[in-house]
Amino acid sequence: MGCGESKQKINSLPKLKVKPDIPKKLDNKEIEIKVCLLGDVSVGKTSIASRYCKNTFSDLYINTIGGAYQQQSVTLNNGTKIRLHIWDTSGQDRFRSMTNLYYQDAQVAILTYDVTNEESLESLNYWLEQLNNKVEVDNMILCLAGNKIDVEASKKVISTSKGKAFAEENNMIFFETSAKTGAGIKELFQAIAVKAYELMKNK
Ligand code: GTP
């Protein structure tokens, strides 16, 4: 199959709104959820996933091609095990037409911005619009991560209150994070796991 052919196929995907499944319960003690990280180039999506799944961080920037997968499990206080399947997507424009393939059956979307880059928060309106067009977001757990809070205070151009306000406006779980130091990362995924469990329990 030539490149042109596959591009045409992606562009002609039907614009159906997908209803993400409530997290699946595998047995008495295990739930699986799919999480997708979205946001501009270089905001730290891969780094957040790597910090959480492998407890590693690199200063090197290697751009994501399409999407990348990692997984991690978390056990809640009541013993329930949640397996998080984490897809981080490329922020590059040239991959945008395929990003919906990653998020359309995800139960969770983490919209990520870089606290040193004003535009990266504004761009999230684009991702919210994309999600709203393709997915029934009311069935989704939406999160907002303001990443790179380890930077020196003068470089932080997006205040915590601005991030918080964006999250409240869009009904999102909000955390400021640093993939570099690990600040807020476990807490973010823990909050996601708890919310997923509550949704499943109330189904
Ligand atoms: P794309 O794949 O291009 O969409 O980028 P991405 O959003 O996955 O960003 P990535 O995780 O590759 O990080 C981009 C750059 O930011 C790298 O040089 C990382 O080392 C750096 N970076 C990521 N997270 C942090 C952080 O919390 N603090 C600091 N200081 N740098 C970070």
Side-chain angles (χ1 to χ4, degrees):
M1 183 193 287
C3 281
E5 215 177 315
S6 87
K7 194 174 172 195
Q8 199 181 0
K9 271 200 173 156
I10 287 169
N11 288 339
S12 62
L13 280 172
K15 284 190 178 170
L16 286 178
K17 270 205 175 186
V18 178
K19 196 171 181 176
D21 280 339
I22 298 296
K24 285 183 203 129
K25 197 168 189 179
L26 292 183
D27 55 42
N28 281 345
K29 288 271 170 208
E30 192 163 7
I31 298 169
E32 281 197 286
I33 54 173
K34 180 177 172 185
V35 180
C36 184
L37 284 141
L38 299 168
D40 271 2
V41 165
S42 201
V43 293
K45 302 177 294 296
T46 305
S47 303
I48 289 173
S50 297
R51 171 58 76 192
Y52 184 61
C53 297
K54 298 191 284 205
N55 200 19
T56 56
F57 176 79
S58 167
D59 279 312
L60 269 182
Y61 171 51
I62 302 168
N63 65 311
T64 309
I65 310 292
Y69 171 77
Q70 303 188 53
Q71 66 161 293
Q72 180 61 286
S73 293
V74 57
T75 305
L76 303 183
N77 289 340
N78 64 8
T80 306
K81 195 172 168 192
I82 314 263
R83 194 183 305 164
L84 300 149
H85 299 276
I86 302 170
W87 287 90
D88 86 78
T89 61
S90 170
Q92 282 186 60
D93 287 351
R94 66 191 171 114
F95 293 116
R96 286 200 170 180
S97 61
M98 68 194 294
T99 311
N100 66 315
L101 300 175
Y102 295 100
Y103 64 67
Q104 68 182 9
D105 60 344
Q107 289 98 6
V108 183
I110 305 175
L111 279 75
T112 310
Y113 66 92
D114 170 353
V115 297
T116 70
N117 177 349
E118 187 85 51
E119 213 184 306
S120 69
L121 180 62
E122 284 153 24
S123 292
L124 295 183
N125 287 309
Y126 165 83
W127 288 113
L128 277 174
E129 204 182 302
Q130 291 299 302
L131 281 172
N132 268 307
N133 284 343
K134 304 253 169 47
V135 179
E136 289 194 13
V137 284
D138 290 348
N139 289 312
M140 231 181 175
I141 299 168
L142 289 181
C143 307
L144 181 67
N147 193 39
K148 307 196 186 180
I149 52 162
D150 56 276
V151 295
E152 57 189 74
S154 62
K155 289 195 180 148
K156 190 181 182 218
V157 296
I158 304 178
S159 66
T160 305
S161 53
K162 189 164 182 188
K164 217 175 185 174
F166 188 97
E168 275 170 13
E169 223 170 276
N170 295 291
N171 205 15
M172 301 161 108
I173 294 171
F174 174 60
F175 279 91
E176 287 193 315
T177 59
S178 166
K180 188 168 185 166
T181 65
I185 304 283
K186 269 195 192 151
E187 292 82 352
L188 167 67
F189 287 97
Q190 182 75 17
I192 288 169
V194 169
K195 182 93 185 174
Y197 174 74
E198 280 168 4
L199 272 180
M200 195 214 66
K201 210 175 57 173
N202 298 329
K203 195 183 170 189

